[in-house]
Amino acid sequence: MILPIIAYGDTVLRKVAEDIDKEYPKLDELVSNMWETMYNASGVGLAAPQIGLPIRLFLVDTTPFSDDEELTIDEQKQLDGFKQVFINAQIEEETGEEWAFNEGCLSIPDVREDVNRKDTIKITYLDENFKKHSKTIDGLLARVIQHEYDHIEGILFTDKLSALKKRMLKGRLTNISKGKITVDYRMKFPAMKKGR
C-alpha cells in the first residue's frame, strides 16, 4: 500500500526516533508498504518518520544511482542492487574527507542543495530479520545512509546548509508545509487540514 509522505514542517520529522523490537506490530507489512511508497515516489531511501512513525527504521535501494557514468566502475558495482532495511541503526563513527553532493528529500520536494558529509561511516544495525550487522561503508552509499539516518535523529538535509541558504529557502519551505507545491506522489502537509 502506498502511504502519504509527510511534508517539511511536520513535528514528526523533528523527533529523535525510538528503537523497536521484533514484537513491533505488522512490521513486515510496514516494510513492504515503505518499499512500495519509496519506489512510487522514485526515491532511493525512506525513513519511518517520513510516513509519520517516529521509530528507528529506514530503507535504502541505491540501484538507480548505479547508472551514473560519472562514478567509477567500483562505485557503480557498490550501488547496484544495494537494497537494505535498517532497524535501530547507530552510526558509530564518521571519518574521511568531507565532500559535497547535491541532495534532495521526498519530504522536501523540488529543493536540492549541496550538502557536505564525511566520506566513510561505521554503522551497526539490525536487518528485517533482526540479525545484527556492523559495516564500514564509504562514498555515495554512505551518503544515502547518512541522509536516511539523519531522519531517525530528527535532522533534515536543509539543517546542514549555511544560514544564508536557509534564509533563501525559507519561503519555499513554508510553501511546501502549506501544500503549495505540485508533486506526483501522495503527501501529507502539516499546515493543511487534510493531506492529498
Side-chain angles (χ1 to χ4, degrees), residues 26-86:
K26 297 186 176 174
L27 183 60
D28 289 347
E29 187 182 326
L30 172 62
V31 168
S32 171
N33 289 344
M34 283 178 69
W35 284 123
E36 198 177 339
T37 301
M38 183 189 89
Y39 291 132
N40 177 65
S42 304
V44 292
L46 185 69
Q50 292 181 277
I51 53 156
L53 297 173
I55 58 172
R56 294 186 80 81
L57 164 65
F58 64 87
L59 33 90
V60 165
D61 182 349
T62 55
T63 306
F65 283 149
S66 66
D67 311 350
D68 188 338
E69 287 165 9
E70 289 181 21
L71 299 173
T72 66
I73 299 294
D74 285 347
E75 286 171 318
Q76 288 176 345
K77 279 184 189 160
Q78 182 191 35
L79 296 165
D80 190 26
F82 184 91
K83 182 178 174 178
Q84 183 63 60
V85 174
F86 292 80

